[in-house]
């Protein structure tokens, strides 16, 4: 693996860590100012507008995620 692949993986980990920690400021800094994104759901030509749309409601309220997705699934399954 070359350095670029490692840096890309680290960047992706940082990106997802920002969502987990509700750290929008760091997330914004990870994306270049002229970031563009296009998918079947939306086209974004402005980084901050995209973050406004995709930033999770729980993060806007100052809530946090604790534990893992696997633990959440197990807890949810146990209540069914």
């Amino acid at each position: 693996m070359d350095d670029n692949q490692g840096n890309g993986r680290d960047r992706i980990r940082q990106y997802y860590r920002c969502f987990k920690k509700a750290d929008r400021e760091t997330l914004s800094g990870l994306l270049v100012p002229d970031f563009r994104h296009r998918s079947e759901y939306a086209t974004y030509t402005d980084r901050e507008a995209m973050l406004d749309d995709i930033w999770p409601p729980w993060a806007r309220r100052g809530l946090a995620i604790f534990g893992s997705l696997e633990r959440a699934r197990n807890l949810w399954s146990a209540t069914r």
Side-chain angles (χ1 to χ4, degrees):
M1 173 171 56
D2 66 25
D3 287 339
N4 289 333
Q5 287 176 326
N7 290 338
R9 289 180 181 156
D10 290 342
R11 179 66 54 113
I12 292 168
R13 286 185 185 104
Q14 291 173 335
Y15 181 85
Y16 283 102
R17 195 174 303 120
C18 288
F19 277 97
K20 185 173 183 180
K21 293 183 176 187
D23 185 356
R24 181 174 166 164
E25 183 177 341
T26 300
L27 176 62
S28 183
L30 290 172
L31 302 172
V32 295
D34 62 345
F35 180 81
R36 309 255 189 276
H37 175 75
R38 179 181 224 167
S39 74
E40 62 188 72
Y41 303 107
T43 298
Y44 296 102
T45 58
D46 177 82
R47 174 185 63 187
E48 296 307 315
M50 182 196 75
L51 291 175
D52 286 343
D53 283 352
I54 69 167
W55 197 245
W58 60 264
R60 293 176 191 156
R61 294 186 193 113
L63 302 176
I65 296 176
F66 297 96
S68 67
L69 182 56
E70 181 180 347
R71 176 151 169 70
R73 285 183 183 141
N74 290 339
L75 290 171
W76 185 76
S77 295
T79 62
R80 294 179 86 199

